[in-house]
Amino acid sequence: MRNYGSKHHIGAGIAVAVVLLLAILLLSVQIQHVTVTGSDRYSAKQVEELLFTGRWGKNSAHAYFSDKFRPHIQIPFVEDYKVVFHNPLDVEVIIYEKSIVGYVSYMSSFMYFDKDGTVVEASDAKTAGIPQVTGIPFNQVVLYEPLPVDNQEVFKEILYMTQILSKYEISADKIYFDDS
């Protein structure tokens, strides 16, 4: 009977040692290479600095569990992103950018909107390559709500114009609308 107890303690000790060794190994593996796809606005370094921050940010286990079990952080002009772990050292971040067609200036901010006229982003800085839309009267602008304009056809026109400009690689700083 005495033999059984000592064998049991040795087995438990080995199990604890293996678990501790695995925990140390998991906590010491750091992400070495981050690849970013789908982003025209952010470089790989910028995305890496936004997503993998803090003392444990580049720890593979922490990054994996944060991605799977915590809400994604909000990145300006990004609808969503997906983090793909190819192995514990190599990670790919796939960016899904918001489709922004223009912006209006409102209360010293730039309110960016999508093809449906919904304000998707507010920023203190202009973003190159997105035209300012002027001549549209509105009283207020609310984030994540459509721009309050009388004629909704104006957004179809803006989308059409921005697509044509993009197709022919013509940049426009401003699109002006009037009453007609």
Side-chain angles (χ1 to χ4, degrees):
M1 193 111 168
R2 200 165 213 220
N3 234 354
Y4 173 74
S6 66
K7 285 183 182 179
H8 178 69
H9 289 301
I10 291 173
I14 290 173
V16 167
V18 167
V19 167
L20 284 174
L21 186 61
L22 284 173
I24 290 170
L25 184 62
L26 267 175
L27 295 175
S28 65
V29 176
Q30 299 289 313
I31 295 170
Q32 299 296 316
H33 187 260
V34 177
T35 305
V36 177
T37 57
S39 178
D40 293 329
R41 298 190 195 291
Y42 296 102
S43 69
K45 185 73 175 163
Q46 289 172 315
V47 171
E48 186 176 333
E49 289 171 357
L50 286 167
L51 297 182
F52 306 106
T53 60
R55 181 178 179 198
W56 293 95
K58 291 193 92 176
N59 176 271
S60 294
H62 181 267
Y64 178 82
F65 287 109
S66 292
D67 178 59
K68 298 299 179 199
F69 301 111
R70 290 187 179 166
H72 281 176
I73 65 166
Q74 298 297 313
I75 302 173
F77 303 107
V78 173
E79 185 74 36
D80 198 12
Y81 60 88
K82 181 178 178 182
V83 180
V84 179
F85 287 83
H86 295 294
N87 60 56
L89 304 176
D90 296 316
V91 174
E92 179 181 9
V93 180
I94 303 168
I95 302 288
Y96 302 100
E97 291 184 338
K98 293 176 182 175
S99 61
I100 296 173
V101 297
Y103 73 90
V104 294
S105 184
Y106 180 72
M107 295 182 69
S108 71
S109 289
F110 303 107
M111 309 299 276
Y112 294 89
F113 58 90
D114 65 7
K115 63 182 176 52
D116 301 317
T118 301
V119 178
V120 295
E121 194 66 48
S123 177
D124 293 335
K126 282 188 203 180
T127 300
I130 299 175
Q132 178 182 17
V133 178
T134 61
I136 302 173
F138 49 83
N139 294 329
Q140 66 179 9
V141 177
V142 180
L143 196 58
Y144 306 119
E145 290 189 16
L147 280 172
V149 297
D150 296 332
N151 183 359
Q152 290 297 317
E153 291 294 315
V154 76
F155 296 116
K156 290 180 185 174
E157 289 294 322
I158 293 170
L159 178 61
Y160 176 72
M161 276 191 261
T162 55
Q163 287 174 339
I164 293 295
L165 292 171
S166 176
K167 178 180 177 181
Y168 293 107
E169 298 179 356
I170 300 170
S171 64
D173 294 329
K174 191 179 284 190
I175 298 174
Y176 176 76
F177 284 88
D178 59 16
D179 293 337
S180 61

